[in-house]
Short mmCIF file of all heavy atoms in Angstrom, two decimals:
data_model
loop_
_atom_site.label_atom_id
_atom_site.label_comp_id
_atom_site.label_asym_id
_atom_site.label_seq_id
_atom_site.Cartn_x
_atom_site.Cartn_y
_atom_site.Cartn_z
N ARG A 26 99.35 77.28 114.17
CA ARG A 26 98.59 78.40 114.77
C ARG A 26 97.26 78.48 113.97
O ARG A 26 97.23 78.26 112.79
CB ARG A 26 99.31 79.66 114.66
CG ARG A 26 100.59 79.70 115.51
CD ARG A 26 101.26 81.08 115.39
NE ARG A 26 100.48 82.13 115.92
CZ ARG A 26 100.89 83.47 115.80
NH1 ARG A 26 102.00 83.74 115.16
NH2 ARG A 26 100.10 84.34 116.27
N VAL A 27 96.22 78.74 114.73
CA VAL A 27 94.90 78.74 114.09
C VAL A 27 94.41 80.17 113.87
O VAL A 27 94.49 80.98 114.81
CB VAL A 27 93.92 78.00 115.04
CG1 VAL A 27 92.45 78.07 114.44
CG2 VAL A 27 94.25 76.50 115.19
N ALA A 28 93.95 80.39 112.66
CA ALA A 28 93.37 81.77 112.33
C ALA A 28 91.93 81.35 111.86
O ALA A 28 91.65 81.18 110.63
CB ALA A 28 94.16 82.51 111.33
N PRO A 29 90.98 81.10 112.80
CA PRO A 29 89.78 80.50 112.46
C PRO A 29 88.77 81.36 111.52
O PRO A 29 87.93 82.12 111.97
CB PRO A 29 88.98 80.31 113.76
CG PRO A 29 89.65 81.35 114.70
CD PRO A 29 91.05 81.51 114.09
N SER A 30 88.96 81.07 110.24
CA SER A 30 88.18 81.76 109.25
C SER A 30 88.36 81.02 107.90
O SER A 30 89.41 80.58 107.59
CB SER A 30 88.53 83.24 109.13
OG SER A 30 87.86 83.79 108.04
N LEU A 31 87.27 80.96 107.11
CA LEU A 31 87.37 80.48 105.79
C LEU A 31 87.41 81.65 104.74
O LEU A 31 87.46 81.32 103.48
CB LEU A 31 86.28 79.53 105.42
CG LEU A 31 86.15 78.25 106.25
CD1 LEU A 31 84.94 77.38 105.83
CD2 LEU A 31 87.45 77.42 106.14
N ALA A 32 87.42 82.83 105.22
CA ALA A 32 87.39 84.04 104.33
C ALA A 32 88.52 84.09 103.27
O ALA A 32 88.40 84.31 102.16
CB ALA A 32 87.30 85.32 105.15
N ARG A 33 89.76 83.83 103.83
CA ARG A 33 90.94 83.92 103.02
C ARG A 33 90.95 82.85 102.01
O ARG A 33 91.20 83.16 100.74
CB ARG A 33 92.23 83.98 103.87
CG ARG A 33 92.31 85.26 104.75
CD ARG A 33 93.50 85.08 105.70
NE ARG A 33 93.33 84.00 106.56
CZ ARG A 33 92.64 84.07 107.79
NH1 ARG A 33 92.07 85.21 108.08
NH2 ARG A 33 92.52 83.07 108.61
N ILE A 34 90.75 81.64 102.36
CA ILE A 34 90.86 80.49 101.36
C ILE A 34 89.75 80.59 100.34
O ILE A 34 89.84 80.32 99.18
CB ILE A 34 90.91 79.17 102.11
CG1 ILE A 34 91.06 78.01 101.01
CG2 ILE A 34 89.68 78.95 102.93
CD1 ILE A 34 92.28 78.00 100.28
N ALA A 35 88.47 81.04 100.83
CA ALA A 35 87.37 81.25 99.97
C ALA A 35 87.69 82.35 98.91
O ALA A 35 87.30 82.19 97.76
CB ALA A 35 86.17 81.52 100.78
N ALA A 36 88.31 83.43 99.33
CA ALA A 36 88.69 84.41 98.42
C ALA A 36 89.71 84.01 97.40
O ALA A 36 89.52 84.29 96.16
CB ALA A 36 89.24 85.73 99.25
N LEU A 37 90.65 83.20 97.85
CA LEU A 37 91.63 82.74 96.87
C LEU A 37 90.91 81.76 95.81
O LEU A 37 91.11 81.85 94.65
CB LEU A 37 92.76 81.92 97.57
CG LEU A 37 93.82 81.27 96.66
CD1 LEU A 37 94.54 82.34 95.82
CD2 LEU A 37 94.78 80.46 97.54
N CYS A 38 90.05 80.88 96.31
CA CYS A 38 89.29 79.95 95.45
C CYS A 38 88.49 80.74 94.52
O CYS A 38 88.37 80.29 93.25
CB CYS A 38 88.52 78.94 96.27
SG CYS A 38 89.52 77.72 97.13
N ASP A 39 87.88 81.85 94.88
CA ASP A 39 87.07 82.64 94.04
C ASP A 39 87.93 83.10 92.89
O ASP A 39 87.50 83.19 91.71
CB ASP A 39 86.38 83.72 94.89
CG ASP A 39 85.42 84.51 93.93
OD1 ASP A 39 84.54 84.00 93.40
OD2 ASP A 39 85.71 85.74 93.81
N LEU A 40 89.14 83.62 93.23
CA LEU A 40 89.96 84.18 92.21
C LEU A 40 90.48 83.09 91.21
O LEU A 40 90.80 83.35 90.04
CB LEU A 40 91.21 84.90 92.85
CG LEU A 40 90.91 86.17 93.62
CD1 LEU A 40 92.10 86.62 94.31
CD2 LEU A 40 90.47 87.26 92.68
N MET A 41 90.54 81.88 91.73
CA MET A 41 90.96 80.78 90.90
C MET A 41 89.83 80.07 90.23
O MET A 41 90.03 78.90 89.52
CB MET A 41 91.75 79.74 91.73
CG MET A 41 93.08 80.28 92.27
SD MET A 41 94.06 79.01 92.99
CE MET A 41 93.07 78.37 94.34
N ALA A 42 88.60 80.60 90.23
CA ALA A 42 87.36 80.03 89.58
C ALA A 42 87.02 78.67 90.18
O ALA A 42 86.62 77.72 89.52
CB ALA A 42 87.64 79.81 88.03
N GLU A 43 87.05 78.66 91.55
CA GLU A 43 86.54 77.58 92.34
C GLU A 43 87.08 76.24 92.00
O GLU A 43 86.30 75.29 91.63
CB GLU A 43 84.99 77.60 92.18
CG GLU A 43 84.33 78.89 92.55
CD GLU A 43 84.34 79.28 94.02
OE1 GLU A 43 84.61 78.36 94.86
OE2 GLU A 43 84.18 80.43 94.39
N PRO A 44 88.31 75.99 92.07
CA PRO A 44 88.88 74.72 91.69
C PRO A 44 88.40 73.63 92.66
O PRO A 44 88.47 72.43 92.32
CB PRO A 44 90.43 74.97 91.71
CG PRO A 44 90.58 76.05 92.72
CD PRO A 44 89.39 76.97 92.47
N GLN A 45 88.08 73.95 93.92
CA GLN A 45 87.72 72.94 94.84
C GLN A 45 86.43 72.30 94.48
O GLN A 45 85.98 71.33 95.07
CB GLN A 45 87.61 73.55 96.25
CG GLN A 45 86.30 74.38 96.54
CD GLN A 45 86.26 75.80 96.00
OE1 GLN A 45 87.07 76.17 95.11
NE2 GLN A 45 85.49 76.64 96.56
N ARG A 46 85.70 72.85 93.42
CA ARG A 46 84.43 72.23 92.97
C ARG A 46 84.54 71.43 91.77
O ARG A 46 83.65 71.02 91.10
CB ARG A 46 83.39 73.28 92.76
CG ARG A 46 83.13 74.17 94.02
CD ARG A 46 82.00 75.15 93.80
NE ARG A 46 81.91 76.07 94.96
CZ ARG A 46 81.32 75.85 96.12
NH1 ARG A 46 80.92 74.68 96.37
NH2 ARG A 46 81.37 76.77 97.01
N SER A 47 85.84 71.22 91.30
CA SER A 47 86.07 70.58 90.00
C SER A 47 86.08 69.11 90.02
O SER A 47 86.07 68.46 88.96
CB SER A 47 87.51 70.95 89.49
OG SER A 47 88.58 70.52 90.34
N ALA A 48 85.96 68.46 91.22
CA ALA A 48 85.76 67.04 91.31
C ALA A 48 85.19 66.74 92.67
O ALA A 48 85.30 67.47 93.62
CB ALA A 48 87.07 66.35 91.21
N PRO A 49 84.47 65.57 92.81
CA PRO A 49 83.94 65.10 94.16
C PRO A 49 85.13 65.00 95.18
O PRO A 49 86.25 64.72 94.79
CB PRO A 49 83.31 63.72 93.82
CG PRO A 49 83.12 63.71 92.31
CD PRO A 49 84.17 64.52 91.75
N VAL A 50 84.71 65.30 96.42
CA VAL A 50 85.78 65.40 97.50
C VAL A 50 85.38 64.43 98.65
O VAL A 50 84.23 64.31 98.99
CB VAL A 50 85.84 66.86 97.99
CG1 VAL A 50 86.66 66.95 99.28
CG2 VAL A 50 86.20 67.79 97.01
N VAL A 51 86.46 63.79 99.13
CA VAL A 51 86.38 63.11 100.39
C VAL A 51 87.32 63.81 101.32
O VAL A 51 88.51 64.00 101.06
CB VAL A 51 86.92 61.62 100.24
CG1 VAL A 51 86.82 60.95 101.61
CG2 VAL A 51 86.09 60.89 99.28
N THR A 52 86.81 64.15 102.53
CA THR A 52 87.58 64.89 103.53
C THR A 52 87.74 64.05 104.73
O THR A 52 86.79 63.37 105.19
CB THR A 52 87.03 66.20 103.90
OG1 THR A 52 86.85 67.09 102.77
CG2 THR A 52 87.89 66.95 104.89
#
């Protein structure tokens, strides 16, 4: 099911000190 928003995952990443920026990414 789709809940089209990045708000929740962005909020979690902010609380975790932005781990998604800790290394280069291939998507």
Side-chain angles (χ1 to χ4, degrees):
R26 294 179 63 186
V27 176
S30 171
L31 296 180
R33 292 173 296 276
I34 184 63
L37 178 62
C38 287
D39 183 60
L40 292 172
M41 294 192 299
E43 305 291 341
Q45 80 278 19
R46 304 186 190 281
S47 62
V50 173
V51 179
T52 302

